Amino acid sequence: MTKDELRKELLKRRRTLSSGEIVAISQQVAERFFAEIDLAAVGCLHTFVRIAKFNEIDTSVIYMRLWRDWPRIATFAPRIDHETGRMESVRFDEHTPLVDGRWGIREPAEGESVSPDKLDLILVPMLGFDHLGHRIGYGKGFYDRFLRQTRVDCLKVGLCHWAPLEEAIETHEGDVPVGLVITPDAVFRPETSVKELNDWSN
């Protein structure tokens, strides 16, 4: 399949998930995140805010726990600058109101923005991914442009509803792979063996 065909197929697949399934998936992903990630090395964390109509993983399970248990970690969320076509990373916390942006995506209403090279960890939304860590997003390119500005040692963590795709995803020069993907059932690294991938998909 082409990337566009995979995107349509995965969007269709995600629409079939019930609200209860999304709650369970989000909780399982959050539990694996806190079990897997060494937060002692994280000072600035960027997280996407869930788009409910797209049945995205609910990241509030993660960032609300960070606010409670790891208050020293500064949290940031995306805001689209429609004049430049770029995505900003804006600081937010439990006191920051979220408002609907131009496309109905919730964004911090206020807050200081930070350069991407200041971030230590980024939670990346995705529809699907392959064994090399390449992702399928919504096709707008905001995250790829954003990720290209981060440090080499910035941990890019994809959150996905399911195991990796069996086929490799077609890529372009500007695509940026993630270094880790957390699903409800497993934690995936690009260097994971084919045997382990097959075990997860069975």
Side-chain angles (χ1 to χ4, degrees):
M1 287 190 188
T2 66
K3 203 167 187 177
D4 282 340
E5 289 171 336
L6 280 170
R7 182 176 294 113
K8 291 176 182 177
E9 183 65 28
L10 291 170
L11 278 169
K12 180 180 178 181
R13 180 179 173 188
R14 216 159 67 175
R15 281 195 296 269
T16 66
L17 297 173
S18 68
S19 58
E21 287 174 314
I22 293 298
V23 169
I25 287 170
S26 300
Q27 187 61 50
Q28 290 165 334
V29 166
E31 289 172 0
R32 291 190 181 279
F33 170 84
F34 286 104
E36 178 69 21
I37 303 299
D38 178 12
L39 290 172
V42 176
C44 294
L45 181 148
H46 172 105
T47 175
F48 65 94
V49 177
R50 176 197 180 203
I51 305 174
K53 66 181 179 181
F54 290 160
N55 269 356
E56 285 190 334
I57 289 170
D58 187 357
T59 51
S60 70
V61 184
I62 294 176
Y63 59 72
M64 291 179 73
R65 182 170 167 184
L66 287 171
W67 295 338
R68 184 191 69 198
D69 297 341
W70 296 83
R72 66 164 188 80
I73 296 177
T75 51
F76 298 82
R79 184 170 63 195
I80 303 300
D81 184 333
H82 293 281
E83 291 186 4
T84 64
R86 292 188 174 274
M87 188 173 79
E88 299 177 316
S89 190
V90 179
R91 186 161 186 174
F92 80 124
D93 57 27
E94 63 268 37
H95 304 297
T96 306
L98 297 176
V99 297
D100 287 344
R102 183 179 296 181
W103 296 320
I105 301 172
R106 290 188 302 158
E107 304 174 337
E110 56 192 31
E112 62 176 323
S113 61
V114 67
S115 172
D117 63 5
K118 301 298 184 183
L119 299 169
D120 302 306
L121 189 152
I122 301 173
L123 297 181
V124 184
M126 54 173 55
L127 289 165
F129 67 104
D130 66 14
H131 65 284
L132 295 176
H134 296 296
R135 58 184 279 274
I136 295 180
Y138 297 117
K140 301 295 185 183
F142 286 112
Y143 264 91
D144 286 316
R145 290 192 293 273
F146 181 76
L147 294 176
R148 286 201 297 272
Q149 302 173 67
T150 61
R151 303 191 316 269
V152 174
D153 66 337
C154 175
L155 181 57
K156 303 164 184 68
V157 181
L159 305 184
C160 195
H161 300 64
W162 31 65
L165 302 168
E166 294 183 5
E167 61 183 287
I169 295 171
E170 64 175 295
T171 60
H172 304 286
E173 184 179 352
D175 292 344
V176 179
V178 295
L180 190 77
V181 180
I182 301 176
T183 74
D185 302 313
V187 175
F188 169 84
R189 292 176 176 80
E191 65 269 21
T192 301
S193 70
V194 174
K195 179 182 181 302
E196 287 174 302
L197 292 180
N198 288 336
D199 289 344
W200 290 350
S201 61
N202 291 334

